[in-house]
Amino acid sequence: MKKKRKIVLDTETTGINFSGRFYDSHKIIEIGAVEIVDNCVTGNDFHSYICPNRLIEESAFKIHGISNDFLLNKPKFFEIAQNFLKYIEGSELIIHNSKFDVGFINYELSMLDLHIKNILDLCNVTDTLTIARRMFPGKKNTLDALCSRYKISTYKRNIHSAIHDAQLLAKVYIFMTNRQEPLPFSIESNSYFQNKSKFKSSNNINLKFFSATKQDIVNHNAYLKHMIKTSGKCIWINKK
């Protein structure tokens, strides 16, 4: 049976107004998409910068740092449209605040001589902002806030980037939707854990073993409690 593809998607644009409505013919300047299959990132990404044939607003530049000069030799949207549509076709799109990205993509499609004018005709869309608001009512649910909540590093995120934000959102989505399954073995029943000498590499070289420090154990237990708090379940904690 063919496995269901999920595509985590983000865009950067030349600018929007505060109400979130399109104005002044704003355009997409970057698309980043990350493929997930069986709740695992596959590495089969889609990424393209796009020349919008219009100037980027200063307010938008401060957010993503993509300059007009940088985009001069990049492809136009119509040049990447077919490959992009082929990449997402039949998948479930995972987008944070999907109204924004879907609206911009459909606006771009409306200006092309293609039979597809709405990506909702090709894909279902799941909005992670909606999921987050349901899971964490009353809390801040931006991508940065969710990364902080799930202890996902954002040290490279000085400015917005469609591909980098899609990669971060993919990690967030996996945490948000993960359902832990029982492991196929137990420490008590697995003889390898009872006799470390059996652990050898394929070249018959003995492996080195390092015991956890007290701080390692403290950090580990803290993270298990964090898993309980965020997902409600952790198979590595025995509740008495």
Side-chain angles (χ1 to χ4, degrees), residues 70-131:
F70 175 77
L71 296 174
L72 285 178
N73 64 345
K74 300 301 184 286
K76 310 297 190 298
F77 186 85
F78 77 88
E79 295 177 285
I80 62 97
Q82 293 285 9
N83 286 338
F84 171 65
L85 293 175
K86 183 177 179 181
Y87 176 80
I88 66 172
E89 184 175 7
S91 66
E92 177 184 358
L93 294 182
I94 312 299
I95 307 174
H96 202 68
N97 191 16
S98 62
K99 183 178 180 181
F100 175 88
D101 301 272
V102 169
F104 264 101
I105 292 170
N106 286 343
Y107 176 65
E108 295 280 5
L109 293 175
S110 71
M111 294 182 287
L112 302 182
D113 186 20
L114 296 174
H115 67 287
I116 296 295
K117 300 297 182 184
N118 191 332
I119 60 170
L120 297 180
D121 294 334
L122 288 178
C123 314
N124 294 320
V125 174
T126 295
D127 194 329
T128 49
L129 180 57
T130 300
I131 297 175

Side-chain angles (χ1 to χ4, degrees), residues 211-226:
S211 298
T213 65
K214 289 183 179 180
Q215 189 59 49
D216 289 336
I217 295 172
V218 169
N219 292 342
H220 177 68
N221 289 334
Y223 192 75
L224 294 184
K225 291 178 182 178
H226 172 72

Side-chain angles (χ1 to χ4, degrees), residues 136-193:
F136 310 108
K139 294 186 177 181
K140 193 173 182 179
N141 288 304
T142 63
L143 180 56
D144 279 327
L146 290 171
C147 286
S148 176
R149 197 166 297 149
Y150 288 112
K151 300 187 182 303
I152 297 169
S153 174
T154 60
Y155 75 97
K156 291 182 179 180
R157 197 174 187 248
N158 297 322
I159 56 176
H160 287 233
S161 157
I163 187 61
H164 185 48
D165 287 1
Q167 290 165 348
L168 289 175
L169 184 59
K171 294 178 183 179
V172 166
Y173 176 78
I174 290 171
F175 270 107
M176 292 173 75
T177 60
N178 186 44
R179 298 294 180 266
Q180 295 182 50
E181 300 293 337
L183 296 177
F185 59 83
S186 66
I187 292 177
E188 292 79 10
S189 65
N190 196 308
S191 61
Y192 281 106
F193 287 95

Side-chain angles (χ1 to χ4, degrees), residues 185-214:
F185 59 83
S186 66
I187 292 177
E188 292 79 10
S189 65
N190 196 308
S191 61
Y192 281 106
F193 287 95
Q194 310 303 321
N195 187 355
K196 293 180 181 178
S197 66
K198 290 187 178 182
F199 279 103
K200 294 184 178 181
S201 72
S202 59
N203 294 325
N204 207 33
I205 299 174
N206 288 327
L207 300 177
K208 293 181 180 180
F209 289 84
F210 299 91
S211 298
T213 65
K214 289 183 179 180

